[in-house]
Amino acid sequence: MLGSRISLVALMVAAAPALQARAQETLPDIDIIAAAPEAGAGIEKSKVPTNPITTKRGDLDRDRALVITDTLQRRNASVSIVDVAGNPFQPDLTYRGFTASSVPGTPQGLAVYQDGVRINEAFGDVVNFDLIPTVAIANSELVSGNPLFGLNALGGALTLEMKNGFTWQGYELEGRGGSYGRRYSAAQIGQQFGDFAIYSAFEALGDSGWRKRSGSELLRGYVDLGYKGDKTEFHLNYTGATTRLGAAAATPVEMIQRDYGSVYTTPQSSTNELHFINLKGAYQATNTLKFNGNFYYRDYQQAHVDGNIADMETCSSKAFVCQDNDPFIGNVPTNAQRRLIGPNGLQIPASVLAGGLPATIDYSRTHSNSYGGAIQGTYDEKIADFKNKLIVGGSFDRQFTDFRGYSELGILQGDFGVTSTGLQYFNSVPEGGFQPSSVFARNLYYGVYALDTLDLTDNLTLTAGLRFNSAEITLYDRLGVRLNSDKSYQRVNPVAGLTYTFIPEFTVYGNYSEANRAPTALENGCADANHPCTIDSFLVADPPLKQVVTRSGEIGFRGTHDIGPDHGRLEWKVDIFRAVNSDDIVSLPSNVIQGRGYFANVGATRRQGVEAGVAWRNDQLSLYADYALIDATFRSAFDVQSESNPYADANGLIHVRPGNVMPGVPRHRVKLGFDYFITPEWKLGADYIFTSGVRLRGDESNLDKPLPSWGVVNLKTSYKVTENVEIYALAQNLFDRRYYTFGTYFDNSGNATASAGGFTNPRTYVPGAPVSVYGGVKVKF
């Protein structure tokens, strides 16, 4: 079966027109790929035993990217973007079925580095792409199968190299506006003064949002001060950002059919703030020995507000507000125990609802401080006439997090907005699920690693290495002892690979690696099925989880070939990969209370597939085509509470079996595009993105139908008025295709939904953005 798929892919590659091309720019070929988190340790691409994805500044400029994921999803079929939060600046980046997400509670499988610092946040390992100044990114690399990138690099690592005054010089201003109130401005300056240089960039963005109450505001800045001597180079840089993001999330399908931009419950928003200082340096001790290192401090704050329809109603007596009217938990009478308790310790009277339906507004605040550093040495010297490069390094990270969460009683409005009564509440028993939280988390991570690249012959290269990871995670409960824990995790992860270059235009490779992820404080603090939590807010119980271990392998071949006298070049690649997780951690819905959940180790999961692509470019035209088949499945049996799934059993359970497809991971993806210079000043480009439908979250047993497949066309054009002035226009989803990127279920049987006329379909979707048009101008000095 797999052989037939490979043959089909090979045939497709041979017939496809091109991949990852560049029009007219005479950029050098990408020769060096990061082999470790710190700079200065790259190896030639022809010797890399995996299939790295490189994004240059020109790629971001051509796509007019506001978040780096904009370009990654358009040009690489192995990458998909899922808007779980329903906000374009808060994406989930999925690569080969592994995710880097900004949504707390999403199991993280990708490490993200900015100038050598891992920026997965301390609490939950989330990645906030909205806090990265996109205009200041010089280039990026997405690499797989390399455990040197430490924790979370299960599926790979995304490294971001930022600009500085030595590599980018001049002045640039940009402004943009368009659909749904989009307004964007950016400014950057880079100057070198002898051995010193300065670079500074600033971005401001406002967007009203195409869905109701989903507007966003972003302010991002970056400053780098640099010194470069004969043997030394130092950079002190600062990243600052503040963002407010409306999170529209999933909406019942019947509401979307009536109004495509509707939102189920509001308010839903996140406010993020970042201050990040990084000092990095390099010292060339000899011609063959180089040292790199960094030391950083990172301060991150998030405030999250989420209005929800609540699992509560007036009690049978009609005098008070109860979580529900279930007469028993087990064999224990609970009608009185389930009554909600207010801040004065008294039961909340039903009169505060003024005849309205009860709802809830959940608040959480996270404040993390992190500091750490790394040092790395690179020794590039022959061994017995064999060319050899040895990389040795180590890192440590110290992280502290203050987390607080609570709920306020609200009243549901006719438009599904929730207004607060101002009353904080909780249940008189922990099983009620509405307990406030106040915890302090402390993480200590450190690791040491070594990687050696040895040329056994002029054509054959061996790469082998190890990384030792240690994670100590401590949780203190300020409101009691329920959450107190102190866990440590250690592991040694190996990597080994071979590349063989038959001719300069044709290389084959193979690689095996292992990586691990320690459970976060958020996951360990919400890991009890009997004490569930609001996944992105509350912690209520703490049996510790096992760490996740991934064993990965891939083989492939790639090459280039110059065609014709007009500077034409053909590039192509084929890669087959497999990654198996043991003790994988997933978030599961609660069987205690609707809308809550918990984390659990569910056994093995597997992600395997094929990547293939070709590209062709010359001075006037570039074409690319990319395809990925990703088969992401559960390999262990377990049960999931999914009461709203219409195929659940009488107890509200679905039964996951080995071979069931994991939700949210599309099986097929195709990316096609071109850039064409109509005249030397006027460029036109377009791309097409096709994604097969994904399974809904809550349908891990694959009994329900998946979301429909979808494809969108994007168009772009630019014109150079003068050498220094460029105008451009973008059209996204040109043909206004209606599609959905994520789906799950909701309880459509409660009083709140019945009051709005009732919903017969429990499916909820996150709709994709409709057609939108933007125009802008860029001025360079």
Side-chain angles (χ1 to χ4, degrees), residues 627-639:
Y627 169 77
L629 164 68
I630 298 178
D631 176 48
T633 58
F634 297 102
R635 310 311 301 172
S636 299
F638 60 97
D639 294 338

Side-chain angles (χ1 to χ4, degrees), residues 379-388:
Y379 184 63
D380 196 344
E381 182 65 271
K382 287 185 176 181
I383 297 178
D385 292 330
F386 295 104
K387 189 176 180 180
N388 188 76

Side-chain angles (χ1 to χ4, degrees), residues 21 38 58 196 245 265 287 319 494 513 539 563 583 643 668:
E38 290 299 304
F196 296 89
L245 307 173
T265 56
N287 291 334
S513 66
L539 306 176
I563 299 177
D583 295 317
E643 294 178 349
H668 301 283

